[in-house]
Amino acid sequence: MTDFTPNEMMTIAASRELSNEDVCFVGIGAPSAACNVARLTHAPEITLIYESGTVGTRPDVLPLSIGDGELCDTALFTVSVPEMFRYWLQGGRITTGFLGGAQIDKFANLNTTVVGPYDHPKVRLPGGGGAPEIASNCGRIFVTMALTKRGFVEKLPFVTSMGHGEGGNHRERLGLKTKGPTRVIADLCILEPDPETKELAVVSIHAGVSRGQIIENCGWPIKFAENVIETPAPTEIELSVLRDINARTKMAHQGAGTGKEAA
């Protein structure tokens, strides 16, 4: 199977990180797509949780936001936002958090706040929402985002969600007992933090991608693990599931916010 886009490869590779046993706090966008592909393929018993308080949701289409009615309509049950964060998240009941971001650094810290100086930013981003708490309290974190020099930067202008801080045992020194980011799944490759330094290194390269492409698209001198493998290409089933849910989502959301119904 060779007929797939880099974004499809990223989403499917990310979905493979999840299992039936996971209780996963899901971010909107690419993380949501990956989590629902997992649910519809190899992990049908996964428990998906969204920030609005929906637990065990099984959406037929991908949500536009955490407040999308699709999430509540298809959830096993819904709790208040304070209960979601205090009892479920801070109570250590969520195994995995799946996040995206506008920018990431070599220690997997995320920025979703501003690009440029905080007082006079070039771009003001949506902000953290629940991501800082998710990054701190979920058992482990997966991050999925496209590998570009604008996104993978040497130094963040603002740290919204802590990854591994300054590297090494920084999380431990701050009293965080969770693992933090254990994998970053990009459209060109997969990265993991070094066990000691916590600096991200490439461990798997997607089919058809060269090391040169990865180096060219990263904003810092990126490292490669000693044994780098090739990411298995998407299967026909994985691609079919992803494309079907994307098509259903597009049809369902046509005209959303415009006052126009889909034709």
Side-chain angles (χ1 to χ4, degrees):
M1 174 63 66
T2 58
D3 183 21
F4 56 88
T5 68
N7 189 64
E8 287 175 330
M9 179 73 259
M10 176 175 68
T11 303
I12 289 168
S15 76
R16 293 169 178 166
E17 301 294 332
L18 298 167
S19 69
N20 279 322
E21 290 71 36
D22 277 313
V23 178
C24 185
F25 211 127
V26 188
I28 296 298
S32 185
C35 291
N36 281 285
V37 168
R39 177 179 63 82
L40 293 168
T41 53
H42 64 277
E45 302 304 318
I46 189 172
T47 301
L48 300 184
I49 293 178
Y50 286 78
E51 190 178 333
S52 52
T54 55
V55 179
T57 188
R58 305 176 70 82
D60 188 56
V61 299
L62 298 177
L64 287 172
S65 71
I66 60 167
D68 196 312
E70 177 73 13
L71 296 176
C72 192
D73 289 345
T74 61
L76 183 63
F77 59 89
T78 302
V79 300
S80 68
V81 172
E83 179 178 334
M84 171 56 62
F85 279 86
R86 182 66 189 94
Y87 178 81
W88 288 87
L89 182 58
Q90 294 176 347
R93 293 172 172 84
I94 300 180
T95 64
T96 305
F98 226 125
L99 297 174
Q103 293 181 319
I104 189 171
D105 68 13
K106 63 182 178 181
F107 295 120
N109 302 298
L110 293 171
N111 172 30
T112 54
T113 303
V114 293
V115 176
Y118 184 82
D119 292 335
H120 301 283
K122 296 178 181 178
V123 179
R124 189 167 292 282
L125 300 166
E133 288 77 18
I134 295 169
S136 298
N137 291 283
C138 289
R140 59 180 177 171
I141 297 294
F142 298 136
V143 178
T144 181
M145 55 187 290
L147 179 60
T148 67
K149 281 192 173 180
R150 291 178 61 185
F152 282 62
V153 298
E154 180 76 37
K155 183 174 176 58
L156 294 177
F158 191 95
V159 176
T160 311
S161 304
M162 182 168 171
H164 295 287
E166 299 170 356
N169 67 344
H170 197 183
R171 288 180 68 90
E172 182 180 340
R173 286 189 280 119
L174 292 177
L176 296 175
K177 296 179 171 58
T178 52
K179 294 179 180 178
T182 57
R183 279 212 157 187
V184 176
I185 303 97
D187 56 343
L188 302 182
C189 60
I190 299 173
L191 305 95
E192 289 183 0
D194 178 86
E196 298 297 327
T197 68
K198 301 302 181 182
E199 181 174 344
L200 293 173
V202 176
V203 296
S204 182
I205 298 175
H206 302 335
V209 176
S210 69
R211 290 194 178 208
Q213 286 177 274
I214 295 170
I215 294 169
E216 182 181 351
N217 282 280
C218 188
W220 69 81
I222 197 165
K223 296 182 178 180
F224 292 81
E226 185 175 345
N227 297 308
V228 178
I229 65 171
E230 181 176 294
T231 312
T235 66
E236 291 186 19
I237 292 175
E238 289 171 326
L239 279 174
S240 176
V241 167
L242 174 59
R243 289 170 179 174
D244 283 351
I245 197 168
N246 281 338
R248 292 197 304 274
T249 300
K250 182 178 180 180
M251 183 173 294
H253 293 158
Q254 278 180 342
T258 66
K260 298 178 182 180
E261 295 297 325

